[in-house]
Amino acid sequence: MSDSSTVMFEKVAFIGLGLIGSSLARVIREKNLAKQIVASTRSVQTLLDAKQLGLIDVGYSNAAEAVQDADLIVLALPVQATQTVLKTIKSVLRADVIITDVGSTKANVVDAAHAVFGQNIPTGFIPGHPIAGSEHSGIHAGKVDLFAHHKVILTPLANSDQDALNKLITLWQAADAEVICMDVQQHDEVLAHTSHLPHLMAFNLVEQLANRKDNLDIFRYAAGGFRDFSRIAASDPQMWHDIFFANKRAILEAVTGFEQQLKQFKDVIERQDSQKLMGMLGHARAARQHFNHMLANNPLMEKQTVTQQFRILPGTQKFVGKFTVPGDKSVSHRSIMFGAIAEGTTHVTGFLEGEDALATLQAFRDMGVSIEGPKNGEVTVHGVGMHGLKAPVSALYMGNSGTSMRLLSGILSAQDFDTVMTGDPSLSKRPMERIAKPLRLMGAQIQTTGEKGTPPVSIRGKQILQGMHYDLPMASAQVKSGILLAGLWAQGETSVTEPEPTRDHTERMLRAFGYEVKTEGNKISLTGGGKLTGTRIQVPSDISSAAFFMVGAAITQDADITLEAVGINPTRTGVIEILKQMGADLSVENQRIAGGEPIADIRIRGTQTLKGIHIPEDQVPLAIDEFPALFIAAACAEGQTILTGAAELRVKESDRIQVMADGLKTLGIDCTPTADGIVINGKGKIGEWSTIFTGGEIESHHDHRIAMSFSMAGLRCAAPITIYGTETVATSFPTFTQLAQQAGLNLEAS
Ligand code: S3P
């Protein structure tokens, strides 16, 4: 019994005390939420057991007696029995009573209430559905933690009382459940697909196998797949019998969808259509992974949960090794996008299997493109041509990826179907008007439906786009690319002028796909109406990922790190230039061209300490993603490092100026953020390699680069550094932890 909890109810009456009812009774009892708990059940034995277990104070065989004076009634019985019970208790209800239930279907519970109360359903009547349970049933299977970290859906009616709803929410939260409210119909449709259909399929499979003559052999040799898939077929038949009838309409619809999908699988296997089958299996597998991620990150679907943290301990002895960091994120995104709208097949190697690029890949699969892989960085995209994309069945989820959302805005504005794009909490705060505005000038119908010109982005198809010239107000490769991509479908010429050169992967790759793109100074142009032809794309290693190791080696005595086959496209090499100016011992070796992009091995040694510099503004767009890491280098340098002209950093995955300044201060570094940059007073001394950072706790604000940058601070820390929210590292650098540990960083991920 918890002393801190407050009694919420005078008397709680359970009608039925099976698995769910008795588990909730256990919670109410343990947390002391009610003065009295009573129950009425059909089985006398259950009442005796409930008393013996200490779950109830009084047991009744008659529901009307049990609910006398109760201020909370929980109907925890088969949904089919709801109407009979409501009829029995109708005349003895308190005026302020709260009545809820725990059934898996909701429309029929509401129908039952209508049948009994007509238009006067009590305002405290709020149906509910805890999405928890097990294949076991009965009072003895109940557990006090059955609902912990599970969802409970409440379906208030139009006349439901807000106080009653709040009380129910508090009750379920006391059971450590997450409460979601939705309307009755939506509940039944969602559950038909996510719960009722899978149960029916499990019963169906076991029934099918059990009816075979060789059933004994089958069950004896049944492998893990059968065990996993059929587990839920051991559930209570009576309960599922009731549910299948109670939610008949929605379930039958779901079954029809299942039959159609199964038929498609049957057809492609019959026809031995290998490409189609790989496409379907790959899509399903990716969708499964994607949904996992969505569930973990989408606040609309689930409470935000931070799933990972890094802890870096002081005393790293060495930072050495030769590493190949994963593929370039910008190039990976574009390889899928361009491959999808090309004619013919595109083979990609070195593809970044990080969540951002996978979000792009999933979006195109959702638009009907058959894509094989990724497997060991290899992807095959079966292009559908400029007019072959199909309407996705639901919103496209872009995760954490601004590049996906902004570039796709251009492509989707030119399609003949409507689309909506959503993202995770970080992406949902990022400005989308910067791309929506110019696209509107071309005739696109695009809306940023978030509060401040932020996602979701909603696009109306069937618009005829006109080519135009646009002077970019900010140096942004994403905006440039989004406009040029819309220009592929626009009438006439589309051109952009950038204030400073930004990464030119779009221009280079369009040419690799056989599309003419002109560049004159800072002006880039193309003419709509052409086509792309599938090709081979070799994705270089991402210099933005390499940058963490470059900085790590530059600040660590005797470090010796070589990063192999890194992309050194001149629009991306600001980090090399800046580190060199700060005095790092850095050499670019073995330069060569691979897949149209220059690459090289980059070697950095910890032979000399760094000095602060005023970072040249022309380097800013060329190192835009590397500043969080460079700030760590600046903190270790002697003297001041001044960054100006970098206001764009404030609208990245987080406000990187503020978030880095906060973190640096936490770790004992004197720095001052400014509107468009930062001044960092380095704590280093030329020729000395002493510790720079105190220990401390860093909040990464869902920003992968913040998390990885502060990890490198661990190479010069005096006490442990804990970094929260590091799960986003997987968006761009899924092997970061492993490579950092291999190099010698004392990093624990948990
Ligand atoms: C990117 C462009 C840059 C960069 C981002 C990737 C791209 O964004 O920060 O990580 O692939 O075009 P901006 O266009 O916002 O500068």
Side-chain angles (χ1 to χ4, degrees), residues 329-330 334 403 406-407 430 434 475-479 481 503 624-625 648 652-653 705:
K329 188 153 72 73
S330 296
R334 288 159 173 85
T403 310
R406 299 212 178 102
L407 270 61
R430 298 185 64 186
R434 53 176 52 203
S476 165
Q478 292 178 355
V479 179
S481 303
R503 65 190 67 195
I624 193 71
D625 288 343
E648 278 294 298
K652 294 293 175 189
E653 283 83 329
R705 300 203 197 281

Side-chain angles (χ1 to χ4, degrees), residues 163 212 268 345 373 521 535 675 685:
D163 289 341
R212 286 174 60 104
V268 293
T345 306
T535 185
K685 291 266 171 297

Side-chain angles (χ1 to χ4, degrees), residues 548-566:
F548 303 108
F549 285 81
M550 289 160 66
V551 166
I555 62 170
T556 307
Q557 186 169 24
D558 298 330
D560 189 355
I561 295 274
T562 300
L563 299 150
E564 295 172 308
V566 178

